[in-house]
Structure formats: C-alpha cells, structure tokens
C-alpha cells in the first residue's frame, strides 16, 4: 500500500519571514498520520522553513538543484547544500523551469541522478501542453519524458522516487484535469515504469497529480488507484492546504 504524498510548491512566493510565520500558523493543521506532507519552498526560505517545522512530521523540499557538485556556477544550488540545510525532497523538471529556464529532459535526468546520489527524493515533473493533448499525443509525450528522466536510475532508486503528472494547461489556470484524464495518464506512467523496471517498482513508485488542485477537487482525484497524492501550487500558499492534506476527512 503506497503512502500518499501531498506536496506544496510555493514557486517564487513568500519571503523568509512570511514563510516562517505561515508554517508556524499552519503546521499543526497540516500534519497527517496517513500522508507525507512536504512544502517545497524558495531557496532562501529553506532554513527558516526547516526550523519552523522541526518536531512535526512535515518535511521541507527545494524547488530545484544543480547537477554539478560545486564550482563556478553562479546562482545555482548544489545537492549537498540542500542536504546540509535539512531538505529531503526536491522538485525536478517543473514545466515552468522547462519553459523559462531551458531545462530539458536530459538536464532533468542529470538532476534526478544527482538528487539520488545525495539521498534526496526527487519529485519529477512531467506533463503535456494543451496542443499536445488536442493532438492525442499526451501518453507518448509523457512516456518519453519519463523514459529519459529515469535513464541510469536503478530500480531501488526508482522505487523511492515521486513523479508529478502535471498537465501544463492545468497549472495555475483553475482548470483541473478531470479525474478520468488524470487517472489515465498516471496509470500510463505506472505502466511505463513497469516496462522500464518491473511490477514491484511500478507498484512502489508514487505518482502525484498536479494542476489547480483545490480542497474541492482533491478528494476525488486522490481516491483514484494510481494517484498517490498531489503537487499543489497556489493552494499551498493558503491555510486551505490543510484541507487538501486531510482530503479524506471532508
Ligand atoms: C504547480 O505549481 O506545480 C501547480 C500544480 O500549481 P497550481 O496548483 O497552482 O496549478
């Protein structure tokens, strides 16, 4: 039985002092016995966020990392810096990073390998544009993203990974994928992982849905057999995130 994982993605929001205040006010409501709860926060928020959630079951994640260990890469953040700061998860290949910062499937793969090398759990994002969905190539596209992201990743590592299926047309738009659309792609991703590895790995890996998830849409989405929780943007900046974490108690 896979444990659900509900992760917030704050994107470029919240100053360090606001991050600490938000977590201190909302951490009790966001704790869960049944799901892993993660806040992925801007780099400068990591240290105050880790401090704020100390003693709770909540973990802090990063929104990115670089695939080199150290050196002349101005502005980048290395895996060991994240680990030393107390980070456990890292989002890799979010569609905003692919669109605005030229991330490719190949750099995503390098970052996934680097995350595993340092014991970080990657939350690997994939998903299609509206045009790709309309052209009927969603599953082919997402399968390609997954196959490249997992190149040279071992089955033992893959079992610990988290994949976030995020249709780009649903991110930040208020348009949520239907339960059927989300489950169809998450099932296809699990099948793809089964083909790359084996049934045991496919059964172990956790696959989230992301894209305008709200307290209203979470219960039905997260009840699907192949959807193991969500990656939540806008709604993770509000106290309502606690309702998403406790989607099964509404
Ligand atoms: C995201 O940033 O990954 C996301 C899904 O955003 P939102 O929930 O705001 O659509």
């Amino acid at each position: 039985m896979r444990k659900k994982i509900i992760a917030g993605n704050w994107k470029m929001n919240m100053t360090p002092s606001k991050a600490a205040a938000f977590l201190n006010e909302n951490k009790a409501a966001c704790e869960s016995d049944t799901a892993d709860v993660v806040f992925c926060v801007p780099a400068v928020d990591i240290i105050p966020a880790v401090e704020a959630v100390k003693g709770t079951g909540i973990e802090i994640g990063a929104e990115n990392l670089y695939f080199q260990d150290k050196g002349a890469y101005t502005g980048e953040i290395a895996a060991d810096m994240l680990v030393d700061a107390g980070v456990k998860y890292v989002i890799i290949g979010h569609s905003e990073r692919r669109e605005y910062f030229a991330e490719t499937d190949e750099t995503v793969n390098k970052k996934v390998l680097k995350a595993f090398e340092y014991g970080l759990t990657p939350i690997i994002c994939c998903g299609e544009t509206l045009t790709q969905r309309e052209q009927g190539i969603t599953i082919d596209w997402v399968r390609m993203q997954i196959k490249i992201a997992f190149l040279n990743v071992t089955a033992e590592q893959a079992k610990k990974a988290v994949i976030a299926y995020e249709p780009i047309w649903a991110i930040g738009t208020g348009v949520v994928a239907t339960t059927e659309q989300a489950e169809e792609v998450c099932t296809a991703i699990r099948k793809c992982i089964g083909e790359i590895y084996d049934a045991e790995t496919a059964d172990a890996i956790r696959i989230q849905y992301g894209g305008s998830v709200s307290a209203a849409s979470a219960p039905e989405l997260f009840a699907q057999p192949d959807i193991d929780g969500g990656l939540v943007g806008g709604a993770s900046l509000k106290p309502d995130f606690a309702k998403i974490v406790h989607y099964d108690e509404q």
Side-chain angles (χ1 to χ4, degrees):
M1 184 69 182
R2 292 181 296 273
K3 191 175 185 189
K4 300 278 185 198
I5 173 161
I6 298 163
N9 171 18
W10 280 359
K11 312 192 188 200
M12 199 173 72
N13 294 293
M14 294 271 196
T15 60
S17 54
K18 283 187 182 151
F22 178 90
L23 290 170
N24 282 320
E25 275 162 36
N26 294 285
K27 62 187 175 185
C30 290
E31 280 210 85
S32 168
D33 295 331
T34 51
D36 288 333
V37 179
V38 185
F39 283 92
C40 296
V41 305
V44 291
D45 294 353
I46 287 171
I47 289 174
V50 167
E51 184 61 32
V53 300
K54 215 171 255 172
T56 74
I58 298 168
E59 299 287 4
I60 297 302
E63 298 178 10
N64 187 24
L65 91 177
Y66 196 49
F67 54 75
Q68 298 289 356
D69 285 317
K70 62 175 176 174
Y73 304 103
T74 303
E76 293 296 328
I77 297 181
D80 70 342
M81 298 174 187
L82 297 180
V83 172
D84 193 58
V87 163
K88 295 287 187 305
Y89 294 83
V90 55
I91 297 175
I92 294 178
H94 192 282
S95 59
E96 288 152 14
R97 293 215 55 87
R98 293 179 192 250
E99 182 178 352
Y100 305 127
F101 303 100
E103 294 216 358
T104 63
D105 290 325
E106 288 69 26
T107 59
V108 167
N109 174 241
K110 287 183 186 178
K111 291 181 176 195
V112 168
L113 292 169
K114 191 54 68 181
F116 278 124
E117 190 183 323
Y118 283 84
L120 293 162
T121 299
I123 299 176
I124 305 160
C125 299
C126 60
E128 81 288 2
T129 62
L130 187 56
T131 307
Q132 288 167 329
R133 176 157 285 272
E134 287 170 352
Q135 286 169 339
I137 60 169
T138 295
I139 305 278
D140 287 344
W141 176 260
V142 169
R143 280 174 59 87
M144 182 200 66
Q145 290 182 310
I146 294 298
K147 284 187 176 178
I148 300 174
F150 281 83
L151 274 175
N152 300 316
V153 173
T154 68
E156 285 321 298
Q157 291 170 329
K159 281 179 189 144
K160 296 187 201 118
V162 177
I163 295 172
Y165 165 56
E166 300 206 302
I168 295 168
W169 47 271
I171 297 179
T173 57
V175 180
V176 196
T178 66
T179 307
E180 293 72 26
Q181 286 171 327
E183 173 67 2
E184 183 196 18
V185 182
C186 290
T187 303
I189 292 170
R190 200 175 301 288
K191 185 163 170 274
C192 182
I193 292 293
E195 289 166 15
I196 301 169
Y197 300 101
D198 48 37
E200 198 187 320
T201 309
D203 194 47
I205 198 164
R206 294 190 288 179
I207 305 173
Q208 301 172 311
Y209 165 78
S212 297
V213 171
S214 65
S217 59
E220 198 178 306
L221 283 163
F222 298 175
Q224 301 311 302
D226 281 313
I227 301 180
D228 305 315
L231 183 57
V232 182
S236 71
L237 294 159
K238 301 182 194 131
D240 242 30
F241 186 63
K243 291 192 192 146
I244 297 176
V245 168
H246 297 288
Y247 70 95
D248 51 349
E249 297 165 24
Q250 290 185 37

